[in-house]
Amino acid sequence: MTEEGARRAPLNRDRVLRAAVELADEVGLAGVSMRRLAQQLGVVPMALYKHVADKDALLDGMVDAVIGEFDPPDPALDWQDGVRQRVLSARRAVLRHPWARQAIESRTRRTPAVLAYMDSVTGTFRAGGFSVDLTHHVMHALGNRIWGFSPELFDEPRDPGAPPLPPEAQQAMAAEFAERYPHVLEIALAATQGDLSGVGRGCDEDFEFAFALDLLLDGAGRLHRRGWSSRAASAPPAV
Amino acid sequence: MTEEGARRAPLNRDRVLRAAVELADEVGLAGVSMRRLAQQLGVVPMALYKHVADKDALLDGMVDAVIGEFDPPDPALDWQDGVRQRVLSARRAVLRHPWARQAIESRTRRTPAVLAYMDSVTGTFRAGGFSVDLTHHVMHALGNRIWGFSPELFDEPRDPGAPPLPPEAQQAMAAEFAERYPHVLEIALAATQGDLSGVGRGCDEDFEFAFALDLLLDGAGRLHRRGWSSRAASAPPAV
DNA sequence: GACAGCAGGTGTACGGCGTACACCTCGATC
DNA sequence: GATCGAGGTGTACGCCGTACACCTGCTGTC
């Protein structure tokens, strides 16, 4: 026990951010408060404000930390595999930090790290011969997917604490569902091989993500090869 | 002045939700608190809890109200135009309520209104002959886009209160940008016809939205015509 | 060695938030 | 006329972010 001898190493922005990431990993984004983070660091809440401007800046920094975990681009790949690998690497990082998705969605400032990542992905398309025009629209079309996530659609986040429903209640729910939402039920049944007890767990998110990503990248490639330009397309991109 | 004679009409869930929507339209989602909403309704905060379970339920109800503004499906259209119109109608509703995007993203419960809308869109694909399998994956690929929005990508929400930068500062920023983020700059220049003073205003969000939507729908149609099935596709959907 | 300056940490306080809980009020029902 | 329940009230608690004044101890300068 160093007791009092070696007093706590002085804080700095980096240690604050790392502690915030760690805290969020443990207790979720909602559990991260300036007060709680300060406590974790053995410091009074106001001490944090010497290192981050305010809570918003803290969140920005946390997102930057996640971006810092993305793999660097691999220059040996062509544009399609290049973007694919980059985005899937982003996905891995975001999945390591369950709060990251929500944090990224809530951010409204573009930090240098954010811009650098977007610039890098954009550059991959350009290096692949894409026009500025097409690159621009394709980046928009990818949207949040460049951060490695897409919204949960059917996944019910049924909290793990809830007790499993008794079979007859499941039956009743299924009946109600079948009447009101036949098409959603159909999909749920197909995705879970008929076992509705775990609806939501049935969707293979990784598959869905790659499916959508490749749908977009393939479509983009098709437009590129065809010499598509937004000037010629007041109509939607024709089939 | 009715003074005391005609006392305030009694609250009900609907009036509470409508007032919440109105309040959010005026002051944004962050400005909506139980206390402020109560004040708006001339009532004490705790009175609201007789009509909504808690703030989360209030948000759910507000989202449901927006969904209630979506146009009904038009059975005369084929699947592609059907989905297209439906989603664009959702977009119009969401754009009428600037807070709706954020509210929808934050929701985690699937209310009956949410399920009903998803069921309806799903049903349009099915009626168009799509397999359950393909419909499932395409719904995932659409993701948040079925709510009529995609994430802002390049749009800096530069708050309107900020004074316009002096020209030389703009120059300096552009120079810094050009060095660090050449590809993003390139796009910004193209999108704004060289007038960087309004970066962000340059993107035609409606065009971007339709572009991405049609890219996805066209891709989906191609897979459908080809009889695509996820069983046959352990590999990504081939070009 | 004295001292100014300053980066980093502290303590207190304010105004906001969501909401638990006990209570009151008043019109409908028997 | 008593009862009851739906709707509204009042008070209180424990959180939150952060403004502001203050203290502490190291650094460089003379």
Side-chain angles (χ1 to χ4, degrees):
Chain A
M1 322 293 186
T2 50
E3 291 262 318
E4 278 288 333
R7 39 201 336 127
R8 205 200 47 256
L11 248 42
N12 58 47
R13 187 178 153 86
D14 229 62
R15 284 200 348 112
V16 169
L17 292 182
R18 276 210 309 276
V21 165
E22 211 172 307
L23 182 58
D25 285 345
E26 280 167 26
V27 302
L29 199 58
V32 176
S33 70
M34 298 302 275
R35 297 170 121 99
R36 184 147 178 192
L37 176 57
Q39 192 180 15
Q40 203 83 0
L41 286 164
V43 116
V44 96
M46 286 311 292
L48 302 179
Y49 288 84
K50 293 284 202 262
H51 306 283
V52 294
D54 55 17
K55 189 167 181 187
D56 239 46
L58 178 75
L59 273 301
D60 282 341
M62 290 169 68
V63 168
D64 284 359
V66 174
I67 293 176
E69 294 182 17
F70 294 180
D71 290 346
D74 178 346
L77 300 174
D78 70 2
W79 70 267
Q80 188 153 358
D81 281 337
V83 172
R84 196 165 196 278
Q85 292 311 321
R86 205 77 200 292
V87 167
L88 290 179
S89 139
R91 175 169 180 79
R92 285 191 298 276
V94 166
L95 288 183
R96 278 197 294 274
H97 305 289
W99 47 270
R101 170 196 303 240
Q102 190 187 341
I104 291 173
E105 272 176 344
S106 77
R107 292 306 74 202
T108 179
R109 275 194 58 229
R110 304 274 174 272
T111 66
V114 168
L115 282 169
Y117 175 65
M118 296 202 333
D119 193 74
S120 167
V121 175
T122 308
T124 305
F125 283 113
R126 295 285 289 126
F130 278 54
S131 69
V132 172
D133 184 36
L134 180 55
T135 302
H136 177 191
H137 302 306
V138 168
M139 286 292 288
H140 270 284
L142 285 174
N144 264 350
R145 233 170 282 271
I146 66 169
W147 301 113
F149 62 88
S150 45
E152 297 159 25
L153 203 62
F154 299 108
D155 283 356
E156 193 78 15
R158 171 206 290 281
D159 53 340
L165 292 176
E168 72 272 15
Q170 254 181 56
Q171 208 73 22
M173 264 188 59
E176 168 121 9
F177 230 85
E179 191 183 342
R180 292 214 227 180
Y181 320 113
H183 301 108
V184 171
L185 177 69
E186 195 176 45
I187 284 178
L189 282 169
T192 58
Q193 273 90 30
D195 174 19
L196 276 184
S197 65
V199 180
R201 299 303 117 241
C203 297
D204 179 344
E205 285 286 336
D206 285 335
F207 179 86
E208 304 304 343
F209 186 83
F211 174 84
L213 179 60
D214 289 328
L215 205 57
L216 287 163
L217 292 183
D218 288 345
R222 213 179 326 264
L223 292 180
H224 171 48
R225 286 192 300 277
R226 188 182 301 159
W228 181 92
S229 148
S230 68
R231 215 174 313 282
S234 71
V239 182
Chain B
M1 321 293 183
T2 49
E3 292 264 316
E4 278 289 333
R7 39 201 336 127
R8 204 200 49 256
L11 248 44
N12 58 46
R13 187 178 153 86
D14 229 62
R15 283 197 352 109
V16 169
L17 292 183
R18 278 210 308 275
V21 166
E22 210 172 308
L23 182 59
D25 285 345
E26 281 167 25
V27 302
L29 199 58
V32 176
S33 71
M34 298 301 275
R35 297 170 122 100
R36 183 148 180 193
L37 177 56
Q39 192 180 13
Q40 202 84 358
L41 286 164
V43 115
V44 97
M46 287 310 292
L48 300 178
Y49 287 84
K50 293 284 201 262
H51 305 283
V52 294
D54 55 16
K55 188 167 181 187
D56 239 45
L58 179 75
L59 272 303
D60 282 341
M62 291 169 67
V63 168
D64 283 359
V66 174
I67 293 177
E69 295 182 18
F70 293 0
D71 291 344
D74 179 346
L77 300 174
D78 69 1
W79 70 267
Q80 189 154 357
D81 281 336
V83 171
R84 196 165 197 278
Q85 292 310 321
R86 205 78 200 292
V87 167
L88 291 178
S89 138
R91 176 169 179 80
R92 285 191 297 276
V94 166
L95 289 183
R96 277 196 293 276
H97 305 288
W99 48 270
R101 172 196 301 240
Q102 189 186 343
I104 291 172
E105 271 176 345
S106 77
R107 292 305 74 202
T108 179
R109 275 194 58 227
R110 304 275 175 270
T111 66
V114 169
L115 282 169
Y117 174 65
M118 296 202 333
D119 192 74
S120 166
V121 175
T122 309
T124 305
F125 283 112
R126 294 286 288 128
F130 277 54
S131 68
V132 172
D133 184 36
L134 181 55
T135 302
H136 177 191
H137 301 305
V138 168
M139 286 292 288
H140 270 284
L142 284 174
N144 264 350
R145 234 170 282 270
I146 66 169
W147 302 113
F149 62 89
S150 46
E152 298 159 25
L153 202 61
F154 299 108
D155 282 358
E156 193 79 12
R158 171 206 291 280
D159 54 339
L165 291 177
E168 71 272 14
Q170 254 180 57
Q171 208 73 22
M173 264 188 59
E176 168 121 12
F177 231 84
E179 191 183 342
R180 291 214 227 179
Y181 320 114
H183 301 108
V184 171
L185 177 69
E186 194 177 46
I187 284 178
L189 282 170
T192 59
Q193 272 91 30
D195 174 19
L196 276 184
S197 66
V199 180
R201 299 303 116 238
C203 297
D204 179 344
E205 283 287 335
D206 285 335
F207 178 86
E208 304 305 342
F209 186 83
F211 174 84
L213 179 60
D214 289 328
L215 204 57
L216 287 163
L217 292 182
D218 288 345
R222 214 180 325 265
L223 293 180
H224 171 48
R225 284 192 300 277
R226 187 183 300 159
W228 181 92
S229 148
S230 67
R231 215 173 312 282
S234 72
V239 181

